[in-house]
Amino acid sequence: MWRVVQIHSILTFNFNPLLRNFNPLLRITTEVIVMTTSQEAAFPIELQDQVIGNLCRDVKSLAACSLVSSHWSDSARKLLFPNFIAFIDVRSNEIAQTSKLLQLLEAPHSRLGLYIQHVQIWGPDNPLGIEAIQTIHTEEYEYLSKVLQTILPRLPRVRDLMLSSLSWYRISRETRAQLASLSKVISLEWHRIICGHLNDLVQFSNQSFPRLETLRMQDLRVKNNTQIERSNLAQHSNWFACLRTLVLFVDESTAPFLDGLLSGIIPVENLHSLDLEVLDNANLALVGSLIRITGPTLSVIRLNICPVRQDFDENPFPISLSQNVNLKVLYFEPWLISREIWWLEKIITSASSACGLEEIYLRFVASGTPNSFSFDFSALEGLLLARSAPGTKIVMECWEDERRQGPSLSETLISSMSELSKRGQLSVVLFDRYEASKKDFGFLGS
């Protein structure tokens, strides 16, 4: 009983200025702790965690709680540093920062590693092409291996891992084993990776991270673009058993992965979210097939495509959402040009079977200096009014170049979609393009 009462007195005496701003729930709970200990009953740790969890946005209160006891310290600091990211970067201009991180982790009594859940590893490669790897020196990869084998054992709670600008076949077996030891990873991104065969990355992802829920693959350089063979995966019965979200830049390097999904080599029945970017119309058929076979399991679809209408004058448009009956969120990034409305109409019209559609997001970027938009926002409003339920939320995210003159993009959106505004369905959100790109592509700040 004395220990808990003493904790209460320490809080009152040392942190009186902060306690004025504490969430009232914390005061009540600390009183309950004292009361229950006077009755010689232990206050459940789970309830203590819930109390601290209610302070997730109160930095000062969390800082105060972190000084109460070892358990409170652990719980509070998890909330204080949820987005703390460790950059491990061996590029010449960033080595000093990586050395500082290593010093902090190796300091006596350091607990920093316990609160790092996001790690980004940036290798020395030039991502412009496979031929660039000829300029990479062996010493740089030896240094990377040494750094990773020193830092990674000190990061036991990593949940989000990104690897970028690496030649995968240059990573030593010991370093791969160290990466695989991060068994709590649930989100993995391969970004600007050079490899011999896509199967190398796919097998490592599955075998090393059995809890993986999100997989991202973007801007890969694959020397051998052959299909993933079923025989290579036969020994793994629970192939990507926990995978829920797939983010792909669809090109010739990732096409074998889509083929693996479509052929049943990699199961798709657990996928809830697809985020696909496609620049080549030749790959739209693969994307359409993937969306179709995932059918009722998908709840979120995000598409960044730029189809040319002439390519589909004689052939049907390959993307349809008619099978996605449980769809909740649709996300598009159309260009601000007149021709874009035709494919939006085809996709949104095909989603008529998704009775539970809750949100449609459209992101517009007005770059350059034109003072007017050729995109027909009124036609888009008519489409959304005709094809979405009255309760569907329409969110327009917009960014525009400061050099532009005349009406702003946000003003144009609001004036062109007055009926949606009257119904209360329309929200226009200004976003920071730099911050959004960091979030979308894993280039996150510390």
Side-chain angles (χ1 to χ4, degrees):
M1 179 177 71
W2 176 86
R3 182 173 181 271
V4 177
V5 174
Q6 185 67 13
I7 288 173
H8 186 272
S9 65
I10 289 175
L11 273 171
T12 306
F13 181 78
N14 289 344
F15 300 100
N16 190 46
L18 296 178
L19 283 172
R20 290 183 223 160
N21 297 325
F22 263 29
N23 187 316
L25 180 60
L26 182 60
R27 289 184 185 168
I28 293 171
T29 306
T30 49
E31 292 170 7
V32 171
I33 291 174
V34 176
M35 182 177 64
T36 55
T37 49
S38 66
Q39 299 170 349
E40 297 183 359
F43 194 67
I45 289 178
E46 293 81 3
L47 294 182
Q48 295 181 42
D49 290 339
Q50 286 187 22
V51 171
I52 296 173
N54 286 324
L55 302 172
C56 60
R57 298 185 183 276
D58 190 338
V59 174
K60 291 184 178 180
S61 298
L62 287 172
C65 289
S66 70
L67 302 176
V68 172
S69 67
S70 59
H71 178 74
W72 279 34
S73 175
D74 192 52
S75 299
R77 289 182 179 180
K78 286 179 184 177
L79 298 173
L80 272 172
F81 309 116
N83 295 317
F84 191 90
I85 301 172
F87 286 89
I88 304 174
D89 197 334
V90 298
R91 292 174 293 184
S92 58
N93 58 331
E94 299 291 345
I95 286 180
Q97 298 299 323
T98 301
S99 298
K100 289 181 181 179
L101 171 63
L102 183 57
Q103 290 175 10
L104 290 171
L105 292 170
E106 290 183 323
H109 312 296
S110 173
R111 293 173 58 84
L112 176 63
L114 296 177
Y115 307 107
I116 295 177
Q117 299 184 47
H118 309 274
V119 172
Q120 294 190 6
I121 300 172
W122 292 78
D125 281 11
N126 183 335
L128 297 179
I130 293 179
E131 65 279 358
I133 65 175
Q134 302 300 329
T135 63
I136 301 302
H137 300 292
T138 305
E139 293 79 7
E140 294 175 289
Y141 273 91
E142 291 177 351
Y143 175 73
L144 175 63
S145 296
K146 179 181 178 181
V147 167
L148 292 180
Q149 292 182 44
T150 304
I151 291 180
L152 294 183
R154 292 174 167 81
L155 308 177
R157 295 179 177 174
V158 175
R159 295 169 61 82
D160 186 355
L161 177 63
M162 187 191 86
L163 298 104
S164 179
S165 304
L166 291 168
S167 293
W168 183 242
Y169 60 87
R170 289 178 177 264
I171 303 299
S172 67
R173 181 178 300 178
E174 294 76 17
T175 305
R176 294 188 189 191
Q178 199 64 66
L179 287 167
S181 69
L182 303 175
S183 58
K184 295 184 179 180
V185 166
I186 61 172
S187 176
L188 174 65
E189 177 172 359
W190 299 101
H191 179 244
R192 296 178 178 174
I193 301 296
I194 299 171
C195 63
H197 194 289
L198 184 63
N199 192 63
D200 299 337
L201 304 185
V202 173
Q203 286 210 43
F204 181 83
S205 302
N206 177 68
Q207 295 174 18
S208 304
F209 311 115
R211 304 179 186 178
L212 194 65
E213 297 177 5
T214 300
L215 178 63
R216 298 179 176 89
M217 292 193 289
Q218 303 180 60
D219 297 338
L220 305 183
R221 303 291 185 270
V222 180
K223 288 186 173 182
N224 184 356
N225 287 319
T226 56
Q227 293 185 350
I228 297 175
E229 297 181 5
R230 185 180 298 272
S231 59
N232 292 335
L233 315 181
Q235 65 271 30
H236 307 291
S237 57
N238 296 321
W239 192 254
F240 287 113
C242 297
L243 190 64
R244 300 293 180 268
T245 299
L246 181 62
V247 183
L248 282 181
F249 181 87
V250 182
D251 61 6
E252 62 179 7
S253 67
T254 55
F257 187 77
L258 266 76
D259 287 331
L261 292 166
L262 295 174
S263 62
I265 296 177
I266 301 170
V268 298
E269 58 268 15
N270 295 325
L271 283 177
H272 293 171
S273 177
L274 279 180
D275 185 337
L276 304 171
E277 181 176 359
V278 189
L279 297 182
D280 187 349
N281 283 351
N283 291 317
L284 286 178
L286 276 176
V287 170
S289 298
L290 179 60
I291 291 175
R292 184 171 60 255
I293 66 169
T294 49
T297 65
L298 281 186
S299 58
V300 179
I301 296 178
R302 176 173 177 170
L303 291 175
N304 186 355
I305 61 178
C306 52
V308 179
R309 187 167 190 169
Q310 289 79 357
D311 293 348
F312 303 100
D313 285 341
E314 299 181 359
N315 301 308
F317 189 66
I319 298 178
S320 171
L321 308 183
S322 59
Q323 303 296 318
N324 305 103
V325 295
N326 292 317
L327 200 60
K328 303 293 183 184
V329 180
L330 267 175
Y331 196 114
F332 303 106
E333 295 191 33
W335 293 3
L336 282 169
I337 51 180
S338 57
R339 72 185 187 199
E340 293 290 277
I341 192 69
W342 76 272
W343 64 263
L344 283 171
E345 180 178 7
K346 287 185 175 294
I347 293 178
I348 293 175
T349 300
S350 71
S352 57
S353 58
C355 301
L357 189 60
E358 298 173 356
E359 297 173 312
I360 299 177
Y361 286 80
L362 293 106
R363 174 178 289 185
F364 295 99
V365 175
S367 57
T369 56
N371 297 330
S372 61
F373 308 105
S374 63
F375 190 90
D376 192 343
F377 292 107
S378 298
L380 177 61
E381 181 187 44
L383 170 64
L384 293 172
L385 287 170
R387 299 299 179 181
S388 64
T392 304
K393 182 180 178 181
I394 311 298
V395 181
M396 302 289 177
E397 298 182 344
C398 58
W399 178 92
E400 58 188 316
D401 197 314
E402 294 179 353
R403 297 172 295 175
R404 291 191 68 260
Q405 299 177 0
S408 68
L409 177 56
S410 58
E411 291 172 347
T412 302
L413 285 168
I414 293 172
S415 62
S416 301
M417 300 187 169
S418 55
E419 186 60 33
L420 283 172
S421 296
K422 290 178 183 178
R423 293 188 180 189
Q425 290 181 252
L426 181 65
S427 298
V428 178
V429 180
L430 300 176
F431 73 94
D432 186 310
R433 194 179 184 189
Y434 176 65
E435 293 297 325
S437 66
K438 291 194 297 182
K439 180 179 179 180
D440 291 344
F441 299 108
F443 193 74
L444 303 176
S446 56

